[in-house]
Amino acid sequence: MTLAEDEAFRARVEQQLEGVERRLGQVALGADNPFIAEASRHVINAGGKRFRPLLVALTSHLGPQPSDERMELASAVVELTHVASLYHDDVMDEASMRRGVTSANVAYGNSIAIMVGDWLFSRASSLVTQLGTEFVRLQADTFSELVAGQIGEMRGSDAGEDPLSHYLDVIAGKTGALIRTSVLFGAMTSHAEPRVLEALGRFGMQIGMVFQLSDDLIDITSTTTGKTPGTDLREHVATLPILLLDASEDPEDEPLKQLLADDLADDRELARALSMLRASHVIEEARDEIMARAEAARAELAILPQGPARRALDRVCDEVVSRSH
């Protein structure tokens, strides 16, 4: 019975996500200026994981009054917010590719990319008003956290501040906050009870952290995802494995520390750094941290009613962890 129920639930969620895609396409079509419509479709049409809309869809079944219309609106809000942040990120990171296509900053120039990101933020802000003041308030707070996280990443840690704590605060703002809001939005569209929302908020933040920590580890370990490994290393972006290495007092880690501090523009030096880092103890330590956070997220699901939605969220815990292995 459970298998049949889960398969029916999967088909239902896929149907919901098809509705979200149509809604996202309508946003660009709603632009008065054809150029803005084209530029805003640039990243939206490239697809992506649609992880945030998936979470909205899954949690939209946890309340007594599910609504596809409200779920689609909420999904569009979080995905547009995410995509808008990508336009800005690519300018700041001087990226050349995004989701397998030329990044918007390369296609249209930095200034246009920033303004299109702003336009998408404005569309998300307009859509969220249709859901009510609680949604508007949460969206505004989330946007504030996202910006604070980005600023924190740009500034780096202050003198005397623990770099690892700073890094975790940054990813909580840049990634965790919007994923937490995605989880909450879905449940709110179906009028889930307060104690469920409280647990889901904690779940969403932990899963958001796991998602970003896994992504950062993939930059080092993966050779099969299509993502160019070592991008963060080359740009000297300190992610969890690097921070764990920096904190190590083991003398055997010194050669790798010195190598990572050097210019890694040469492909051979980058390959050597990746090889040494992949063999380092910090990779397993990072995976242990990711696993611990995933289990903390899973524990928050205990309060949810048994059923396919809860089981699907449980599987999300496993799938987000498996990305980094």
Side-chain angles (χ1 to χ4, degrees):
M1 181 65 176
T2 298
L3 180 59
E5 188 180 33
D6 286 352
E7 286 302 317
F9 181 75
R10 181 193 297 272
R12 181 76 184 90
V13 169
E14 288 176 354
Q15 183 183 48
Q16 288 180 296
L17 292 176
E18 288 172 3
V20 174
E21 287 300 318
R22 289 191 294 271
R23 179 86 60 171
L24 289 171
Q26 291 167 3
V27 170
L29 291 174
D32 294 332
N33 185 308
F35 176 77
I36 294 176
E38 174 196 324
S40 65
R41 283 196 300 265
H42 187 78
V43 174
I44 291 175
N45 287 358
K49 304 177 188 75
R50 298 289 195 251
F51 183 58
R52 293 153 190 84
L54 171 63
L55 291 173
V56 176
L58 293 178
T59 59
S60 71
H61 296 269
L62 292 172
Q65 300 176 51
S67 164
D68 281 358
E69 172 72 14
R70 287 167 62 80
M71 183 282 304
E72 287 179 15
L73 279 170
S75 292
V77 169
V78 295
E79 186 65 9
L80 288 172
T81 302
H82 174 55
V83 171
S85 73
L86 299 182
Y87 278 77
H88 289 182
D89 283 351
D90 286 346
V91 171
M92 289 182 284
D93 298 341
E94 299 180 348
S96 59
M97 298 291 291
R98 168 64 67 180
R99 296 178 171 175
V101 300
T102 303
S103 60
N105 50 302
V106 170
Y108 303 108
N110 285 344
S111 296
I112 294 294
I114 290 171
M115 297 305 292
V116 172
D118 290 346
W119 186 84
L120 289 170
F121 278 129
S122 77
R123 292 301 84 207
S125 298
S126 178
L127 286 178
V128 78
T129 63
Q130 299 179 48
L131 290 166
T133 55
E134 289 186 357
F135 289 84
V136 172
R137 184 181 299 110
L138 180 53
Q139 170 71 0
D141 289 345
T142 302
F143 187 49
S144 176
E145 291 176 85
L146 194 159
V147 172
Q150 185 65 65
I151 291 172
E153 182 178 64
M154 294 170 67
R155 289 189 66 246
S157 57
D158 293 328
E161 182 182 9
D162 176 33
L164 180 55
S165 295
H166 175 81
Y167 164 74
L168 293 174
D169 286 344
V170 164
I171 65 173
K174 279 194 61 180
T175 305
L178 188 57
I179 288 177
R180 175 209 62 211
T181 296
S182 302
V183 171
L184 287 173
F185 267 13
M188 289 164 64
T189 63
S190 61
H191 302 282
E193 58 184 289
R195 69 190 190 108
V196 169
L197 294 176
E198 290 172 7
L200 286 173
R202 294 188 294 269
F203 166 85
M205 178 56 77
Q206 286 287 12
I207 280 297
M209 299 285 283
V210 171
F211 187 87
Q212 187 59 57
L213 291 169
S214 296
D215 218 40
D216 290 345
L217 195 54
I218 287 169
D219 183 71
I220 296 168
T221 61
S222 177
T223 57
T224 60
T225 62
K227 180 178 180 179
T228 303
T231 302
D232 290 339
L233 287 184
R234 179 165 272 166
E235 296 173 0
H236 297 288
V237 175
T239 55
L240 180 59
I242 308 305
L243 291 167
L244 292 172
L245 183 70
D246 288 344
S248 171
E249 297 180 358
D250 188 339
E252 294 187 6
D253 288 329
E254 288 305 317
L256 179 54
K257 289 182 183 180
Q258 293 174 15
L259 176 59
L260 294 177
D262 291 340
D263 183 0
L264 297 175
D266 183 274
D267 287 344
R268 289 171 299 181
E269 287 298 283
L270 179 62
R272 187 162 75 93
L274 282 169
S275 178
M276 291 177 65
L277 191 54
R278 287 167 181 165
S280 171
H281 60 92
V282 298
I283 298 301
E284 284 309 310
E285 291 172 14
R287 284 179 172 146
D288 288 344
E289 175 67 17
I290 290 169
M291 180 67 76
R293 287 183 176 274
E295 290 307 311
R298 195 192 311 273
E300 298 293 349
L301 301 177
I303 197 175
L304 303 186
Q306 290 288 348
R310 174 172 164 175
R311 289 192 292 273
L313 291 171
D314 191 88
R315 286 193 294 272
V316 166
C317 297
D318 295 328
E319 291 166 3
V320 174
V321 168
S322 68
R323 298 172 67 243
S324 61
H325 285 71

